[in-house]
Amino acid sequence: MNPETTTVADVVGATLARLGADHVFGVVGSGNFHVTNALVRHGARFVATRHEGGAATAADAYARLTGRPGVVTVHQGCGLTNAMTGIAEAAKSRTPMVVLAAEPAASALRSNFRVDQDALAEAVGASSERVHGAATAVTDTVRAWRRAVAERRTVVLNLPLDVQAAEAELTDPPPAPEVEPPRASDEAVRALADLLTTARRPVFIAGRGALHAKDELERLAARCGALLATSAVAKGLFAGHAANLDVSGGFATPLAAELISSADVVVAWGASLNMWTSRHGRLIGPDATVVQVDVDPTAIGAHRHVDLGIVGDARTSAAAVAAAIPGEKTAKLEGATRWRDVPYEDDGDAGHIDPRTLSIALDDMLPAERVIAVDSGNFMGYPSMFLSVPDHRGFCFTQAFQSIGLGLATALGAAVARPDRLPVAACGDGGFLMGIAELDTIRRLGIGMLIVVYNDEAYGAEVHHFGPGGHDLSTVVFPETDLAAVARGHGCAAVTVRSAIDLDPVRDWLAGPRDVPLVIDAKVAPGKPSWWLEEAFRGH
């Protein structure tokens, strides 16, 4: 084909760039080569990861921290299957993301790469769209993009190879319609205003659906005397506020749990009140009046009974309720609202550091402008709750699917999204090794990332869950691995930490140019489960 010919692949890439795709993560193969290059030619930055799973997770994190849709590009068949765990996490988190997936031509029935890509997407909760031909290339692409944005969905856009190669004309995408988010009805506003006016101990729990409503929720809290908490994914939203309880649920401090449990009115703003946020419903008192405000009517009451369900945008609804409540009523909050202020007995020994001691020491060392990305595992409560963040853009928690191994890729996406902040990846040893392919990506891109491995030489959650029952744990424990040496082999700086004194090289790295990643192989005391583990396994 003439190199000057415009193809469907060119049109798709150009259209996405015009719609706002400024970064694209992926692994390039023959099937997605042309569409990826078209994106780059039209101004998008391509971030080449080492595995498609890392690409999907990084794009997810990028979307969470920028508020713009993530974009992933993968080869047909195996490229898409490699990305499926990251796609599942994004879909479950309602992350706006477009996955450009090459697809065998309809006539290539015997292609090695042929799988049912529609079924793959839909099986994990993503939506499936397709570019059908040259005449519809622009509209098909626009439909996928706007569906991702308007419905907060992860959309797999399938690109058949024969369609990609067809000649096509590039036209401007039609202008996006103006859509006003729904505000709660006047009756609902009045009902909630009346509840909050008479409430003695109201608590707000803000979730991902309320990240844009910080100011309005704080203003409303000042009118009714509410304490402020968040779901885990919204951690940092109320950072610095005098009424901030931090995270509700399994990560809650004893004081936060006590105050949430004693609330007479609990209002969830864009939060699902799932088992993690409500401790399987036990965190909220049986006599509390529970209100849930969400733009999605199907989310209301999905995880527990609510007394008042309100369909509406968190920001506009909170502003309307505040306008209906006269005066001010400031909440008073006294006690240890941070985990680091809760006394504990250090479990460290000559060869291991207590993960709380490690996390508190790091919290004191790191610059305030940081972004923390947390993998899944027994360790995850320590970095999540002992490392402070400046705001909700400083915490990235890819845990809706609860897969280990996403931490490094999450931190990669966070670093690309927030180059102005120190990126910190917190991983267990199992998750670090499972996702280690992206350590090469992080080093290759020259990202000065701090990577903290809470190394208990085991799949710690399983050890603590099954160990008390006397089960054979040989399947979930491992010999000591020198992760610092592994990191140096990737071109990173590294340090092994068994006590707080061993952290001195971290201070030197923080003070230096930070031109290579630093991996901390922290040999943590494995004797006790983290406090949230009981919640994690309840009901499994």
Side-chain angles (χ1 to χ4, degrees):
M1 180 174 288
N2 188 329
E4 300 301 319
T5 300
T6 300
T7 66
V8 167
D10 299 324
V11 168
V12 171
T15 300
L16 285 170
R18 291 181 180 186
L19 289 168
D22 55 358
H23 285 74
V24 56
F25 300 80
V27 176
V28 171
S30 59
N32 62 327
F33 180 86
H34 294 299
V35 69
T36 305
N37 282 345
L39 270 160
V40 172
R41 281 197 306 274
H42 288 88
R45 177 191 175 190
F46 176 59
V47 180
T49 60
R50 284 299 193 180
H51 193 277
E52 291 91 347
T57 300
D60 181 4
Y62 178 84
R64 296 180 194 225
L65 296 186
T66 63
R68 298 190 293 275
V71 181
V72 185
T73 175
V74 298
H75 187 270
Q76 62 269 31
C78 51
L80 181 60
T81 59
N82 278 348
M84 287 313 298
T85 298
I87 292 171
E89 168 64 35
K92 284 177 172 286
S93 299
R94 297 296 294 270
T95 299
M97 190 163 85
V98 175
V99 181
L100 297 172
E103 186 178 42
S107 59
L109 298 178
R110 301 293 184 183
S111 170
N112 287 352
F113 299 121
R114 179 165 295 285
V115 290
D116 190 340
Q117 298 191 178
D118 294 320
L120 280 170
E122 292 166 4
V124 298
S127 299
S128 186
E129 295 282 354
R130 181 168 282 98
V131 175
H132 295 283
T136 62
V138 172
T139 55
D140 291 340
T141 304
V142 170
R143 183 179 64 254
W145 176 271
R146 291 187 178 155
R147 188 175 186 190
V149 173
E151 299 179 19
R152 290 172 45 238
R153 284 192 175 278
T154 296
V155 178
V156 176
L157 180 59
N158 295 287
L159 305 174
L161 295 183
D162 52 345
V163 174
Q164 284 195 58
E167 292 187 35
E169 180 182 357
L170 176 60
T171 59
D172 289 330
E178 293 290 335
V179 179
E180 287 293 324
R183 198 210 79 175
S185 68
D186 292 341
E187 293 81 3
V189 168
R190 185 71 261 166
L192 182 51
D194 289 345
L195 268 176
L196 293 175
T197 299
T198 59
R200 292 173 291 111
R201 299 180 303 277
V203 169
F204 292 170
I205 301 176
R208 192 173 179 188
L211 292 178
H212 63 307
K214 172 182 182 292
D215 293 342
E216 289 78 10
L217 290 175
E218 289 182 346
R219 192 174 302 119
L220 176 57
R223 293 287 180 91
C224 66
L227 296 173
L228 298 166
T230 71
S231 65
V233 293
K235 176 181 169 64
L237 183 63
F238 303 120
H241 195 281
N244 181 28
L245 293 174
D246 205 9
V247 174
S248 173
F251 287 166
T253 63
L255 176 63
E258 176 187 345
L259 292 172
I260 294 169
S261 296
S262 63
D264 58 345
V265 175
V266 176
V267 186
W269 300 88
S272 65
L273 294 179
N274 62 24
M275 62 181 183
W276 310 109
T277 305
S278 69
R279 294 189 178 179
H280 293 264
R282 295 178 297 106
L283 186 63
I284 298 173
D287 298 325
T289 299
V290 180
V291 183
Q292 189 175 358
V293 183
D294 206 290
V295 293
D296 181 3
T298 66
I300 295 175
H303 292 278
R304 62 153 292 142
H305 169 76
V306 297
D307 299 291
L308 175 62
I310 298 175
V311 178
D313 172 71
R315 180 173 60 191
T316 58
S317 301
V321 176
I325 299 178
E328 291 190 359
K329 189 195 300 184
T330 304
K332 294 182 179 180
L333 183 58
E334 298 178 357
T337 59
R338 303 184 304 170
W339 269 108
R340 62 174 294 159
D341 298 325
V342 177
Y344 68 94
E345 183 177 342
D346 194 295
D347 289 331
D349 55 34
H352 303 89
I353 187 169
D354 188 301
R356 295 163 294 187
T357 302
L358 168 69
S359 302
I360 292 170
L362 290 173
D363 192 45
D364 290 337
M365 289 182 195
L366 303 180
E369 289 299 307
R370 61 184 77 161
V371 56
I372 311 294
V374 183
D375 207 330
S376 192
N378 175 62
F379 78 95
M380 63 190 281
Y382 301 114
S384 295
M385 302 317 303
F386 285 86
L387 298 181
S388 58
V389 294
D391 53 37
H392 69 280
R393 302 292 190 195
F395 189 68
C396 200
F397 196 67
T398 46
Q399 300 287 344
F401 198 29
Q402 216 178 337
S403 170
I404 70 170
L406 306 187
L408 281 178
T410 298
L412 168 62
V416 174
R418 295 304 307 255
D420 57 322
R421 293 184 173 182
L422 172 70
V424 180
C427 306
D429 53 303
F432 174 73
L433 289 170
M434 192 175 289
I436 199 168
E438 302 318 330
L439 185 61
D440 175 82
T441 305
I442 293 163
R443 173 65 184 93
R444 170 167 39 87
L445 295 177
I447 297 173
M449 181 184 294
L450 181 65
I451 301 163
V452 187
V453 184
Y454 291 74
N455 186 358
D456 63 358
E457 297 163 8
Y459 291 134
E462 284 66 33
V463 167
H464 294 295
H465 183 57
F466 293 107
H471 297 283
D472 179 10
L473 299 177
S474 61
T475 55
V476 291
V477 297
F478 301 93
E480 181 172 352
T481 301
D482 188 349
L483 297 182
V486 172
R488 293 186 191 102
H490 281 75
C492 302
V495 58
T496 300
V497 171
R498 300 181 184 273
S499 70
I501 296 174
D502 296 331
L503 289 169
D504 286 344
V506 180
R507 293 187 178 87
D508 296 337
W509 179 84
L510 289 168
R514 304 206 295 258
D515 51 356
V516 296
L518 172 63
V519 174
I520 299 176
D521 180 8
K523 309 295 188 181
V524 296
K528 293 182 180 179
S530 55
W531 72 94
W532 65 274
L533 194 62
E534 181 182 354
E535 299 298 328
F537 279 105
R538 186 181 298 273
H540 274 36

